[in-house]
Amino acid sequence: MSAPKIKAPRGTFDVLGEQASARTALESRARGILEPAGYERIETPAFESTELFARGVGASSDIVRKEMFSFQDAGGRELTLRPEGTAPICRAYVEHGMHKRRQPVKLWYLSSFFRHERAQAGRHRQFWQVGAEAFGSEDPALDAESIVLASTLLSTLGVRQVRLRLSSLGSPESRGAYRESLTAYLHANEGSLSEEVRERIDLNPLRAFDSEHPGTRAVMQAAPRLLDHLDEQDASHFTEVRSLLEAAGVSYEVDPTLVRGLDYYTRTVFEFTSDALGAQSGVGGGGRYDRLVEELGGPPTPGIGWAAGVERILLAGEVPAAAAAPVELFVALEDGSPAARAEAFGLLAQARGAGLSAQMDLVGRALKRQLSHADSIGARYVAIVGDSRTVLKDMQQRQEEPMAIDAVVHAVLRGQHAL
Ligand code: HAM
């Protein structure tokens, strides 16, 4: 009786074949756009202290309330698989004293994240995000640059029917008075709101704009809008972001109901959706988080960034699979004698050491099948290693030449240059 099979956990998936090479292509496009703009790659741990997200992402967010994979390690420490990247990168910014570097400090990532959500197309429990965060400047030009880079990435990756929605949440001070009037409005209409929204009225009344519940949506139609209550500085910051986006030729819609699902945002917020996706139309999003570094124990430092879901980009985009690496040399064995096999294995190592892409038969195929395999993988040259001689076959020219085994790598390199 064979052992029972084990499947990947619900909401997770394996990445292989074309999907794997599309991701390689996506990563190199992202690098090609972000690094010339001054963004450096960062990787943070897959798990962090639970407190980082409780404090960083916020107690009223769905993520902290119900979506975190949290556990206790053997030492009793409370840990969580990272549900998002901004709080960990702020933690790293503080931990590595990056405020002492020349600002803005710009960082980008392509990492996996974990949320305990109901799995469906485009919504997974382990998913990947490509993202970018920039610290140390309040300048609206940094907001605009960040949004332009996200937009460029999505269009380079062929994401179809993209819409960019933009708003401003103002600063916490200017939000105070508005928050009171919204809270009062929500309490006055409590009877029509969903239970979830009612529970959050005092914790985060703005989240009511995000609700799908029909009664809540109807109430929110007539709710006071934060965008109409920004103070002068926040309003002019937003105007400047808008005019810079226009200067860069990026089209957007102002959406005063855009609030985003994480609690750390201040001022600019934005979301990219693709109508080519089904229910999960959010392909990327982000905004400013001018208080977050300070809330995580660092010096007051403004920040702005975004993240886009890799699976959703691949669903709505046209990311060409990265071309498979060409095989420059295939080492074949004429017969299976141990001496010839050892020599052939030595040749394989020598070829790779010289920078050639080289492969060898590792399953004991007969010579004829080795040659047809070499042909099928598009090998440029095949070295047939026997006990008494070695022959180098040029698969393109259909020519062959006997030579000393030590001369093979040189001949292949020379042949490549001649091409
Ligand atoms: P977010 O909107 O929660 O923002 O996620 C960004 C993107 O990640 C979404 O637009 C979506 O494409 C993808 N995504 C989120 N959850 C899932 C899921 N369960 N399955 C598949 N894809 C998913 C953030 O995470 C913020 N940290 C973005 C940010 C960076 N804000 C400032 N800096």
Side-chain angles (χ1 to χ4, degrees):
M1 206 178 70
S2 57
K5 290 183 183 135
I6 300 171
K7 288 190 165 175
R10 177 184 285 275
T12 70
F13 52 88
D14 301 304
V15 176
L16 41 92
E18 271 181 19
Q19 283 292 318
S21 55
R23 281 161 187 259
T24 306
L26 183 150
E27 180 169 358
S28 82
R29 297 282 174 95
R31 176 178 300 113
I33 290 168
L34 296 167
E35 294 193 352
Y39 283 78
E40 267 175 52
R41 181 76 183 248
I42 182 167
E43 276 300 333
T44 60
F47 58 85
E48 298 267 2
S49 306
T50 299
E51 194 194 345
L52 173 65
F53 302 110
R55 231 196 298 161
V57 176
S60 79
S61 66
D62 281 347
I63 293 180
V64 170
R65 283 159 63 100
K66 49 190 186 197
E67 293 172 0
M68 298 209 297
F69 283 98
S70 298
F71 58 98
Q72 226 178 39
D73 74 1
R77 284 171 282 264
E78 299 292 340
L79 301 171
T80 291
L81 295 181
R82 57 183 172 195
E84 64 100 50
T86 310
I89 291 174
C90 290
R91 187 225 8 94
Y93 180 88
V94 176
E95 194 165 329
H96 298 280
M98 290 192 229
H99 60 281
K100 292 185 206 124
R101 292 205 208 161
R102 189 175 312 158
Q103 309 292 305
V105 168
K106 296 170 160 184
L107 303 164
W108 79 280
Y109 51 98
L110 193 148
S111 316
S112 60
F113 296 91
F114 307 85
R115 294 183 193 175
H116 197 286
E117 294 198 78
R118 192 153 354 128
Q120 59 184 83
R123 194 204 266 161
H124 312 280
R125 292 185 177 170
Q126 179 178 8
F127 57 97
W128 271 255
Q129 286 182 344
V130 53
E133 314 288 349
F135 297 90
S137 168
E138 284 191 354
D139 193 323
L142 194 62
D143 306 46
E145 182 190 60
S146 175
I147 298 171
V148 171
L149 291 169
S151 163
T152 308
L153 180 65
L154 296 179
S155 69
T156 308
L157 295 170
V159 180
R160 287 161 288 137
Q161 301 170 51
V162 176
R163 289 194 301 145
L164 167 60
R165 292 181 299 136
L166 185 71
S167 192
S168 173
L169 299 179
S171 46
E173 297 78 47
S174 74
R175 214 149 58 197
Y178 166 75
R179 216 182 130 117
E180 275 174 30
S181 64
L182 179 62
T183 307
Y185 175 79
L186 291 174
H187 279 305
N189 290 281
E190 222 164 300
S192 314
L193 302 175
S194 74
E195 195 186 324
E196 198 172 13
V197 169
R198 246 180 328 198
E199 276 173 11
R200 281 194 248 190
I201 294 183
D202 296 306
L203 200 55
N204 188 349
L206 278 155
R207 292 301 314 280
F209 283 110
D210 246 3
S211 173
E212 303 278 321
H213 175 256
T216 308
R217 287 179 79 100
V219 170
M220 297 321 285
Q221 292 275 325
R225 301 277 161 94
L226 176 50
L227 215 45
D228 302 327
H229 292 81
L230 294 182
D231 69 19
E232 214 179 297
Q233 279 182 330
D234 291 341
S236 76
H237 191 274
F238 188 53
T239 306
E240 182 68 8
V241 173
R242 292 183 56 178
S243 71
L244 292 171
L245 286 177
E246 280 150 31
V250 171
S251 32
Y252 62 85
E253 299 153 37
V254 172
D255 179 354
T257 68
L258 180 64
V259 288
R260 307 263 309 132
L262 303 101
D263 290 357
Y264 46 63
Y265 292 114
T266 53
R267 291 190 161 176
T268 313
V269 283
F270 53 95
E271 215 156 77
F272 291 91
T273 52
S274 165
D275 295 336
L277 291 168
Q280 303 306 314
S281 65
V283 69
R288 261 200 179 273
Y289 42 86
D290 289 344
R291 301 300 152 92
L292 186 54
V293 170
E294 198 177 351
E295 275 160 18
L296 296 175
T301 309
I304 167 117
W306 50 266
V310 167
E311 293 71 34
R312 295 189 194 172
I313 292 176
L314 295 175
L315 275 176
E318 277 156 22
V319 184
V327 179
E328 290 156 328
L329 176 66
F330 188 87
V331 180
L333 275 174
E334 192 169 3
D335 55 52
S337 89
R341 197 172 152 81
E343 276 208 298
F345 205 72
L347 172 58
L348 180 72
Q350 196 195 341
R352 288 181 178 164
L356 291 173
S357 67
Q359 292 189 25
M360 172 179 172
D361 175 63
L362 300 173
V363 288
R365 289 188 181 93
L367 180 60
K368 209 168 142 206
R369 297 209 31 229
Q370 293 179 57
L371 294 178
S372 67
H373 177 67
D375 212 24
S376 72
I377 60 174
R380 176 73 173 82
Y381 290 91
V382 178
I384 303 171
V385 180
D387 273 332
S388 52
R389 60 173 205 155
T390 296
V391 171
L392 184 64
K393 257 171 103 82
D394 180 328
M395 303 290 277
Q396 243 167 41
Q397 310 290 334
R398 300 275 156 201
Q399 287 167 354
E400 57 179 64
E401 195 185 327
M403 63 179 65
I405 191 163
D406 291 344
V408 168
V409 168
H410 188 61
V412 172
L413 286 170
R414 210 178 43 223
Q416 298 260 313
H417 288 305
L419 281 176

